């Protein structure tokens, strides 16, 4: 057992040991095809980190067979690396003591939050594992709209996140999940039947949270590595996509669940720790160009507030962030990044005119400051809703978003607000606007809120079959919350809807 634990720790440290901690680092931003990373980190070290993430991205594509198109700049995942694990928990909110990183899937503004890379070695390992876990979710979401049951989703993310990255570029995926060793060997085991039954999500996972994730990893690992079970995972996924219940699809694809339970027990004692991971040799995974830039003093000063804004603030917190942002903007009046951040803070605080003024100052300094156009457009839309001449005010609100669309045609926000510009005025959206909404959703397959809007819009047009296709993945998302409940209710209402006739609930 001592030897086993040593192997697990070595596997987890393979990346961390390759990157010595700097004595001091300034804030930098790393930008690559798929990532934007803000970190108080040495430039060289941050560059190696973004290389690792790009290799991980490429490995996910190679293993899953799902190719992800290169996103436009604003559709990349933005990662904020700052503070301790406890800081991340506070930022997340609530009382979940297991949170060490989290991810918010929003169209044009998908973000992830992780602790600082220069923390303690244990925190670094935990932060990197958590980030790889969340990015696995993101990758699977951008390459397929169809969600899998919770155990499958979490088991896959755990499997992919158990990865090793070597200084020479070698990558290993599917290593032993050292961070789950206690759950597999010590904690009260979760029966596989309960793992596979969605009806127990609200009960068993709450009682045995850690055991659930450990067992999900173990099952996914077994199905990925046991030659005798080759193809079973694909058959299960296909059965789910065809509408089968998880427990029924499992019995059909995996066989007798009692036999599966015994196989998992044996796998936990031997094969799970001895199975050969999927290995990509140096040079096998393409990593395109990236750049690392030191942030300006103003950007570095306001970034902690940006992190809060991107997490989402309201009420007194929003007022506090806006006040702090104003103070920093007064010290750095010519920094476009600072002014765009101020615009977002003012908008969060309900100060539409101030948000517009800050955004205008930002784009006057830097016409490419995309976030300023977003904040100005949304602020103008909110003000237009209460304007005396709503028509003219709403049309005017499209101007900054049209400018953004000219800069980045695939930015989802202008496409969404083009559709909303008709809805806000009480008009039936023309076909071009409806297509724009659907295009925005296609650009952000992971944004369930946007797909819910698409499904409702399609139902109102009488496109009942398309509406069902749009709503069903939202309804079946195990992490869907209110969106999932609303989508499920809509699907039930659509059972009696007639194709070609506009549906009004």
């Amino acid at each position: 057992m001592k030897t086993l634990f040593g192997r697990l720790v070595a596997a987890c440290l393979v990346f961390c040991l390759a990157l010595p901690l700097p004595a001091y680092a300034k804030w930098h931003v790393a930008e690559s095809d798929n990532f934007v990373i803000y970190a108080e980190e040495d430039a060289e070290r941050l560059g190696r980190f973004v290389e690792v993430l790009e290799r991980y991205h490429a490995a996910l594509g190679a293993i899953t067979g799902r190719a992800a198109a290169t996103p436009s700049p604003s559709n990349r995942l933005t990662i904020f690396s700052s503070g301790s694990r406890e800081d991340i928990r506070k930022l997340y909110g609530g009382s979940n003591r297991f949170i060490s990183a989290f991810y918010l899937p929003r169209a044009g503004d998908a973000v992830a939050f992780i602790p600082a890379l220069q923390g303690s070695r244990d925190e670094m390992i935990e932060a990197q594992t958590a980030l790889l876990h969340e990015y696995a979710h993101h990758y699977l979401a951008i390459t397929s709209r169809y969600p899998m049951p919770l155990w499958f989703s979490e088991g896959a993310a755990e499997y992919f996140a158990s990865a090793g990255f070597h200084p020479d570029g070698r990558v290993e995926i599917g290593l032993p999940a050292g961070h789950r060793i206690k759950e597999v060997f010590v904690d009260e085991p979760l029966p596989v039947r309960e793992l596979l039954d969605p009806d127990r999500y609200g009960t068993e996972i709450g009682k045995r949270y850690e055991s659930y994730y450990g067992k999900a990893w173990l099952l996914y690992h077994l199905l990925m590595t046991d030659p005798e079970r080759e193809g079973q995972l694909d058959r299960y996924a296909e059965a789910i996509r065809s509408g089968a219940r998880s427990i029924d699809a499992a019995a059909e694809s995996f066989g007798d669940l009692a036999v599966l339970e015994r196989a998992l027990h044996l796998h936990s004692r031997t094969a799970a720790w001895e199975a050969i991971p999927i290995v990509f040799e140096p040079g096998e995974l393409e990593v395109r160009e990236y750049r690392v830039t030191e942030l300006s003093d103003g950007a570095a000063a306001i970034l902690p507030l940006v992190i809060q804004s991107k997490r989402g603030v309201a009420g007194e917190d929003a007022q506090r962030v806006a006040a702090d942002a104003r103070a920093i903007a007064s010290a750095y009046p010519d920094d476009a990044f600072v002014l765009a951040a101020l615009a977002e803070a003012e908008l969060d605080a309900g100060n539409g005119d101030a948000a517009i003024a800050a955004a205008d100052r930002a784009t006057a300094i830097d016409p490419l400051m995309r976030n300023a156009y977003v904040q100005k457009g949304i602020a103008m839309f909110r003000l237009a809703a209460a304007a005396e001449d709503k028509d003219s005010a709403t049309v005017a609100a499209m101007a900054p978003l049209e400018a953004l669309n000219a800069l980045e045609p695939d930015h989802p926000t202008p496409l969404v607000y083009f559709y909303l510009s008709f809805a806000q005025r009480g008009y039936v959206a023309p076909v071009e606007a409806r297509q724009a909404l659907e295009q925005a959703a296609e650009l952000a397959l992971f944004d369930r809120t946007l797909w819910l809007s698409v499904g409702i819009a399609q139902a109102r047009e009488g496109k009942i079959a398309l509406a069902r296709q749009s709503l069903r993945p939202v309804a079946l998302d195990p992490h869907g919350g209110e969106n999932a409940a609303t989508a499920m209710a809509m699907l039930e209402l659509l059972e009696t809807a007639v194709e070609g006739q506009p549906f009004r609930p």
Side-chain angles (χ1 to χ4, degrees):
M1 187 67 179
K2 183 178 179 181
T3 302
L4 169 61
F5 184 73
R7 287 174 55 218
L8 296 177
V9 172
C12 290
L13 291 180
V14 68
F15 172 54
C16 296
L17 290 176
L19 300 176
L21 288 173
Y24 171 77
K26 293 186 176 182
W27 277 99
H28 289 83
V29 58
E31 298 183 70
S32 64
D33 277 357
N34 297 289
F35 303 94
V36 179
I37 309 171
Y38 291 95
E40 194 173 9
E41 187 57 76
D42 172 78
E44 182 180 355
R45 181 180 168 83
L46 184 56
R48 289 197 291 262
F49 185 59
V50 77
E51 282 186 11
V52 162
L53 293 183
E54 283 291 350
R55 287 196 181 94
Y56 184 61
H57 173 92
L60 291 176
I63 294 171
T64 63
R66 302 179 185 179
T70 301
S72 66
S74 298
N75 288 318
R76 294 175 295 181
L77 177 65
T78 297
I79 300 166
F80 295 98
S81 173
S82 178
S84 66
R85 176 179 172 179
E86 185 59 31
D87 292 328
I88 295 298
R89 286 186 188 136
K90 290 179 181 177
L91 185 67
Y92 180 79
S95 59
N96 190 332
R97 64 186 178 87
F98 300 106
I99 295 295
S100 56
F102 64 98
Y103 155 67
L104 301 176
R106 302 181 300 219
D109 194 24
V111 292
F113 304 89
I114 65 171
L117 298 175
Q118 54 179 285
S120 70
R121 192 175 302 284
D122 286 345
E123 282 192 332
M124 289 168 61
I125 293 170
E126 188 170 30
Q128 291 161 18
T129 301
L131 175 59
L132 298 183
H133 177 107
E134 296 301 333
Y135 190 70
H137 283 312
H138 180 77
Y139 189 93
L140 295 174
I142 64 176
T143 53
S144 174
R145 276 207 65 224
Y146 213 95
M148 288 291 110
L150 185 62
W151 82 265
F152 187 106
S153 175
E154 298 302 340
E158 289 293 307
Y159 175 84
F160 292 124
S162 301
F165 304 91
H166 297 258
D168 63 357
R170 186 168 180 258
V171 176
E172 298 171 304
I173 303 291
L175 288 167
H179 59 296
R180 296 298 177 194
I181 187 171
K182 176 177 177 292
E183 300 159 31
V184 173
F185 283 104
V186 180
D187 290 346
E188 181 184 358
L190 184 73
V192 71
R193 184 175 294 276
E194 294 181 6
L195 182 79
L196 294 166
D197 188 351
D199 292 337
R200 298 180 182 271
Y201 287 167
T203 55
E204 296 302 330
I205 191 171
K207 297 175 183 176
R208 290 182 270 184
Y209 186 94
E210 287 184 291
S211 295
Y212 188 98
Y213 280 72
K215 193 65 170 273
W217 165 76
L218 187 65
L219 176 55
Y220 196 90
H221 190 279
L222 170 71
L223 296 169
M224 285 289 288
T225 59
D226 186 347
E228 295 183 4
R229 292 184 176 274
E230 184 176 357
Q232 289 187 358
L233 202 55
D234 290 338
R235 289 197 293 274
Y236 173 84
E238 183 57 36
I240 293 295
R241 283 191 288 267
S242 299
R245 293 176 63 246
S246 174
I247 194 71
D248 298 331
E252 180 181 344
S253 305
F254 308 150
D256 190 315
L257 296 186
V259 174
L260 178 62
E261 189 75 83
R262 291 193 292 273
L264 283 169
H265 178 75
L266 292 174
H267 195 67
S268 71
R269 301 295 162 176
T270 54
W273 318 108
E274 298 173 358
I276 298 173
I278 299 172
V279 177
F280 297 93
E281 297 298 337
E284 194 173 347
L285 298 173
E286 181 183 8
V287 176
R288 299 178 185 175
E289 293 184 2
Y290 62 88
R291 62 175 179 165
V292 180
T293 308
E294 184 178 330
L295 293 185
S296 67
D297 290 342
I302 206 166
L303 201 63
L305 300 180
V306 171
I307 290 172
Q308 294 178 62
S309 292
K310 294 301 182 184
R311 170 61 182 100
V313 290
E316 292 183 1
D317 287 338
Q319 299 299 328
R320 173 186 52 78
V321 169
D324 291 346
R326 284 183 217 118
I328 294 172
S330 66
Y332 301 96
D334 299 320
D335 191 313
F337 184 95
V338 171
L339 293 169
L342 173 61
E344 186 165 359
E346 295 284 18
L347 183 62
D348 288 338
N351 306 321
D353 289 331
I356 293 167
D360 282 340
R361 290 164 59 197
T363 53
I365 296 168
D366 181 359
L368 300 181
M369 187 57 63
R370 291 170 170 81
N371 188 42
Y373 293 104
V374 171
Q375 304 310 320
K376 180 179 179 179
I378 296 175
M380 291 180 69
F381 254 86
R382 291 182 183 176
L383 292 173
E388 185 175 340
D389 185 353
K390 186 182 292 187
D391 268 14
S392 297
T394 301
V395 170
M398 281 304 301
L401 296 172
E402 289 168 355
L404 177 58
N405 180 256
L407 284 177
E408 186 180 338
D410 283 341
H411 196 301
T413 301
L415 301 172
V416 171
Y417 275 85
F418 179 46
Y419 175 84
L420 293 178
S421 69
F422 295 94
Q424 178 159 284
R425 293 176 289 165
Y427 300 152
V428 175
V431 62
E432 295 84 2
R434 299 195 300 267
Q435 290 173 345
L437 182 65
E438 293 174 356
Q439 181 186 351
E442 290 291 344
L443 291 168
L445 293 177
F446 50 82
D447 191 325
R448 304 298 188 201
T449 301
L450 185 51
W451 275 102
L452 177 60
S453 298
V454 168
I456 293 172
Q458 290 169 333
R460 287 174 176 168
E461 295 175 48
K463 299 178 179 177
I464 307 305
L466 280 177
R468 290 192 182 110
Q469 290 178 22
S470 296
L471 292 169
R472 192 161 186 266
V474 182
L476 297 180
D477 183 358
H479 294 289
E482 291 184 8
N483 283 341
T486 302
M488 185 61 74
M490 276 293 296
L491 286 173
E492 291 173 357
L493 292 172
L494 289 176
E495 288 181 1
T496 57
V498 179
E499 185 70 33
Q501 294 184 12
F503 176 76
R504 295 288 187 271

